[in-house]
Amino acid sequence: MSIIKLFSFFCGSFCLLTCTKPMEKVDENSFFIEKVNMFSIDKTPLYLNYNINGQRIDGLVENDGIPGMKFIVNFEFPSGKSPILITPDTKEPIDFTNPVNFDVQYTKTFTKKYEFHLKEEAPNPANFFVEKIEVLSAAGGSTNVSLNQSGNDYIALTQNQANNTPYQLKLTFPNRITPTSIVPNPATARDYSKGVTFEITFDGNIKKQYTVKIGNYNTASFKREVVRGVWVSDVGSDVFTTNTNIKECINLCSDLGINTIFLVTYNNAVTKYPSDVMKEYMGIDIDNRYRGRDIVREFIDAAKPKGIKIVAWFEYGFASVFGDNTGGPIISKYPSWASIDNIGKITERNNFYWLDAFNPEVQKFIKRMMLEVVEKYPDIDGVQGDDRLPALPSNGGYNNAVKAQYKKETGRDAPVNTRDAQWMKWRGDKLSDFGEYIFKHIKASDNKKMVSWSPSPFAWSFENYLQDSPEWLKRNIVDYLHPQIYRNTFDAYKASFDQAYGYMGTTNFKELIFSPGVLIGVGSGDSITPEILDRKLAYNRSQGVMGETFFYYERIRRNKGFQDVIKKYNN
C-alpha cells in the first residue's frame, strides 16, 4: 500500500471516530403510559379501574355482557411522547384471558415492556335479561300476535285460530348483552299452547328462565248470557258456617231468579278453599275457620243442580289487609311487596293497606291463585276482580323500582303530584296490562271461563284507583262489567248509571256485558229500601239492561221486601 493510500485510510477512520454525532441519551422516565381506556369489541366504552406500577398494569373492567375476555385497549401518552409502534396491535381486539405483554416502542432505539393483568368485574344478574320477545310465524314471518308480560312470564292469546299452531320467537337483548346459549332454540317452530320454558345462559354462567304461552280463544265457545248476580261474602254473614247455610243460600238465589253467584274466594290474606299456592307462599292453605272443608267445592256442588253459576271473586286483589297498618301477614313475610305511597309509607286508602301492584312477584302470586282456582275446579264458571283488582290507590306506586321503570320508559322522574296526568296514565296502563295478562291466562286455560271485572264507576275509579275500565273494553278483555253504582237514592243511582252505561259506547253485546252493581246494604245494615230498589231495577229494564248484581246476599236474606222486588224483575 502506498504512503498516500495509507494516509487516506487513517484520516478516514479518524473522521468517522471524531465526526459522527454521539448517540442521544434517552430519558426513560419521560416515556410512560398516562392513561388506559378500554372498549368492548363493538367499541362501546367501558369503565376501567386500573393501576400502573412501573411496567405492570393491573385493571378491573366493567362487565360488557359479552362472553370471553376480548377487549380493545387504548393507551394515552404525554404530549410529544407517542410511540411509533405498539405490539400487539391495540386497534384490534385482544384476548386478556391471560396477562398480555405489550412492547411499546417509543424511538428507534428505545422500547418499554408492560405486563397487563386484566380482570372483568363480576356480572350483575340484573343487567342480563330479555328486552323483547316477538312472535313469528312458523316460516319466520311477522304476525300480529302480541305478548303480555309479568316478570319472566309471557302470554299471548290468538282468536279463532287452529289449535296447536306452531310459531317461532325472536328474542332481543339489551345492548352488549349476548347469551351463550338459549334452550330450546326459539328459532325452531313449535306449539306454545301448553307453555314453553326457555333457559338462557349469559356471561358468567348466569342463567335465567322465561316462559312463553300462546293460547287460542275460540270465541264461539263462550256463551254470553244475561247476568243476574249477587255477591256472597263471609263478612258480616254466617253463610259459610255450615253446609246447610250454603244450601239455603243456593235455594234462595234460585227462587229469586239469580243465576250467578260471585263467591268470595280470597280476602284478608286467606283463601276459602285449600290452596297449594297459599300454602307455598304463606304456610297456611285455607282460612282457619274452614279448615277441613272446601267452601268453593260446597257452593259448586249445591249450585250446579240449580243451574246457578259460581264465579271466584278475588275480593282483596292487590290489597294486603284491612285495618292493620303494618300491612298484615303478607307484607310481614314479604316486606318488598308493600306498595309505597308519595310520603314513603305503605299505601293506604279507607283503612286498606296495599301490595305493590307493579311488582312482578306480587302479580305472579295473584295470577297463580286465579289460575289455581280455574284448574282446581274445572266446573267453576270464572273469576272476578273488583275495585281492588286490577287497582291501586292513586297515591301509590312510589316504590324505587316503579319510579326507576317510569324514568326509563318516559325520561321523567315520578312527580310528587300523585294526580299528574302522565304519571296517572302510565300507572293506569300498567294495571290495564295486568288485567289483559290475567284475561289471556284464564282464556288460554279454558275458553269457557268468565272473566268479570267490578270496578268503581269511571272516571272516579281512575282518579282514585287508577282503574281505566273504558280501556279494558277497548282491549276486549271484559266478559262482564259490574261497575259498583252504590248510590243510596234513586236520582244518584240514575245519574251514575247513565254515565257508566255511556262509557260502554258502541261495545258489542253491551246490554249483556253490563250488569251494574246495585247496593242493598253492608254488614252493618241496609243502605236502601225495597221501594228505592224497585225504582232502580225498573230503570235498568227501561234502558235495556236485563240483569244486575247485588251487594250483598246477607242483606237480601234478611229482608223479604228486597226478595220480592228482585223476584219481580227476574221472572
Side-chain angles (χ1 to χ4, degrees):
M1 180 183 293
S2 67
I3 293 175
I4 295 174
K5 288 182 177 180
L6 185 62
F7 178 78
S8 299
F9 171 78
F10 281 111
C11 286
S13 300
F14 177 78
C15 186
L16 285 171
L17 292 171
T18 60
C19 298
T20 301
K21 185 177 180 180
M23 183 179 297
E24 182 178 357
K25 186 176 180 180
V26 175
D27 179 6
E28 296 186 7
N29 292 330
S30 68
F31 292 91
F32 58 89
I33 295 173
E34 191 170 59
K35 185 178 180 182
V36 182
N37 302 302
M38 193 70 71
F39 303 84
S40 65
I41 57 177
D42 63 1
K43 300 183 179 179
T44 300
L46 301 173
Y47 176 76
L48 175 69
N49 185 14
Y50 65 92
N51 177 62
I52 302 176
N53 184 10
Q55 290 171 257
R56 178 183 170 114
I57 305 172
D58 290 284
L60 179 66
V61 66
E62 170 189 3
N63 191 291
D64 65 351
I66 300 173
M69 286 288 289
K70 283 191 175 183
F71 300 95
I72 297 174
V73 66
N74 169 256
F75 298 125
E76 295 184 22
F77 302 88
S79 178
K81 302 296 184 180
S82 296
I84 58 178
L85 181 66
I86 300 177
T87 307
D89 186 358
T90 55
K91 295 178 182 178
E92 298 296 328
I94 297 171
D95 190 346
F96 283 87
T97 302
N98 298 307
V100 177
N101 293 308
F102 287 93
D103 290 336
V104 182
Q105 184 178 353
Y106 291 99
T107 71
K108 291 182 179 178
T109 59
F110 176 60
T111 298
K112 264 190 176 180
K113 294 182 178 292
Y114 295 87
E115 189 174 72
F116 199 149
H117 297 253
L118 183 68
K119 293 182 179 180
E120 190 176 32
E121 70 178 10
N124 180 357
N127 295 332
F128 295 81
F129 57 91
V130 174
E131 194 167 60
K132 183 180 180 182
I133 300 180
E134 297 175 72
V135 180
L136 307 178
S137 69
S142 61
T143 70
N144 60 358
V145 179
S146 62
L147 289 160
N148 281 79
Q149 172 194 5
S150 176
N152 292 356
D153 183 57
Y154 289 76
I155 180 73
L157 189 68
T158 61
Q159 284 196 9
N160 304 317
Q161 300 293 316
N163 291 330
N164 308 319
T165 299
Y167 296 96
Q168 292 186 35
L169 297 181
K170 178 183 177 182
L171 278 59
T172 303
F173 300 88
N175 184 36
R176 294 165 34 204
I177 300 297
T178 303
T180 57
S181 68
I182 305 176
V183 180
N185 183 359
T188 300
R190 57 174 47 85
D191 172 25
Y192 286 88
S193 62
K194 302 299 182 184
V196 175
T197 298
F198 293 91
E199 182 168 272
I200 304 177
T201 304
F202 298 95
D203 189 23
N205 202 35
I206 293 173
K207 296 180 184 292
K208 292 195 174 180
Q209 290 188 336
Y210 290 79
T211 299
V212 179
K213 186 173 185 177
I214 303 175
N216 178 61
Y217 178 24
N218 180 4
T219 55
S221 65
F222 180 75
K223 305 297 183 183
R224 188 177 276 113
E225 301 171 344
V226 170
V227 166
R228 293 170 174 168
V230 65
W231 280 286
V232 176
S233 172
D234 61 347
V235 177
S237 174
D238 63 358
V239 64
F240 288 5
T241 304
T242 67
N243 187 260
T244 298
N245 290 358
I246 290 173
K247 290 178 178 177
E248 177 189 341
C249 170
I250 297 300
N251 289 335
L252 179 58
C253 288
S254 177
D255 183 57
L256 300 182
I258 289 172
N259 61 17
T260 306
I261 289 175
F262 296 97
L263 178 68
V264 67
T265 305
Y266 168 73
N267 64 12
N268 221 28
V270 289
T271 55
K272 312 304 173 181
Y273 68 96
S275 168
D276 292 337
V277 173
M278 284 298 291
K279 180 73 172 179
E280 175 185 335
Y281 279 91
M282 298 301 298
I284 178 171
D285 64 340
I286 192 171
D287 187 328
N288 278 324
R289 292 175 295 174
Y290 312 123
R291 184 157 303 284
R293 297 174 60 199
D294 183 338
I295 301 300
V296 173
R297 181 77 267 160
E298 290 180 34
F299 264 91
I300 293 173
D301 289 346
K304 288 303 172 183
K306 300 286 187 178
I308 295 175
K309 294 179 179 178
I310 300 295
V311 176
W313 167 32
F314 287 82
E315 181 187 8
Y316 270 42
F318 285 126
S320 175
V321 73
F322 177 79
D324 182 349
N325 62 12
T326 69
I330 296 177
I331 289 175
S332 176
K333 187 165 185 178
Y334 303 101
S336 64
W337 286 18
S339 173
I340 303 302
D341 68 11
N342 57 317
I343 59 173
K345 295 183 177 181
I346 298 176
T347 303
E348 179 271 338
R349 179 69 62 86
N350 296 330
N351 217 16
F352 283 92
Y353 293 84
W354 288 71
L355 303 173
D356 177 9
F358 308 114
N359 184 326
E361 288 303 312
V362 174
Q363 293 181 347
K364 180 180 179 181
F365 169 64
I366 297 295
K367 183 264 291 191
R368 286 188 62 192
M369 273 199 299
M370 297 181 86
L371 272 180
E372 177 183 51
V373 167
V374 169
E375 293 167 358
K376 183 181 179 75
Y377 306 102
D379 46 354
I380 204 165
D381 294 286
V383 297
Q384 183 189 69
D386 59 8
D387 52 343
R388 290 181 280 273
L389 180 67
L392 185 72
S394 54
N395 63 323
Y398 286 84
N399 300 62
N400 288 335
V402 180
K403 292 189 293 184
Q405 189 68 18
Y406 180 70
K407 176 79 170 182
K408 178 181 177 182
E409 294 183 14
T410 68
R412 302 176 75 224
D413 290 324
V416 175
N417 177 13
T418 63
R419 298 293 181 90
D420 175 86
Q422 186 172 346
W423 176 228
M424 290 277 289
K425 185 178 188 311
W426 184 85
R427 289 176 294 163
D429 286 346
K430 292 296 182 185
L431 291 175
S432 296
D433 290 344
F434 182 72
E436 184 172 354
Y437 171 82
I438 289 296
F439 181 89
K440 289 180 175 180
H441 263 297
I442 298 300
K443 293 296 185 181
S445 176
D446 188 339
N447 287 185
K448 297 177 182 178
K449 302 305 183 192
M450 170 197 309
V451 179
S452 156
W453 305 114
S454 179
S456 301
F458 190 83
W460 189 93
S461 64
F462 181 71
E463 294 166 355
N464 291 275
Y465 287 95
L466 303 170
Q467 292 191 298
D468 190 353
S469 53
E471 176 67 16
W472 306 346
L473 291 165
K474 180 181 176 182
R475 297 191 188 196
N476 196 25
I477 57 171
V478 179
D479 288 328
Y480 292 100
L481 189 68
H482 313 270
Q484 297 175 16
I485 308 178
Y486 293 170
R487 304 293 181 262
N488 292 346
T489 68
F490 171 73
D491 289 341
Y493 176 83
K494 178 180 180 301
S496 292
F497 177 100
D498 291 344
Q499 184 181 54
Y501 201 44
Y503 282 121
M504 298 294 293
T506 58
T507 303
N508 291 333
F509 310 111
K510 68 178 184 179
E511 69 282 355
L512 295 178
I513 295 172
F514 189 75
S515 174
V518 176
L519 179 65
I520 301 292
V522 294
S524 58
D526 298 339
S527 300
I528 61 173
T529 64
E531 291 73 25
I532 292 174
L533 179 62
D534 191 294
R535 294 185 68 189
K536 290 180 179 182
L537 301 194
Y539 186 71
N540 291 354
R541 300 298 180 269
S542 74
Q543 300 303 302
V545 173
M546 306 306 292
E548 47 280 310
T549 300
F550 301 107
F551 191 88
Y552 72 121
Y553 164 75
E554 189 62 25
R555 304 322 308 174
I556 297 172
R557 183 182 74 83
R558 296 187 182 197
N559 191 320
K560 190 172 185 306
F562 291 135
Q563 296 174 24
D564 291 341
V565 173
I566 293 169
K567 191 170 185 178
K568 169 185 172 182
Y569 285 93
N570 281 353
N571 292 330

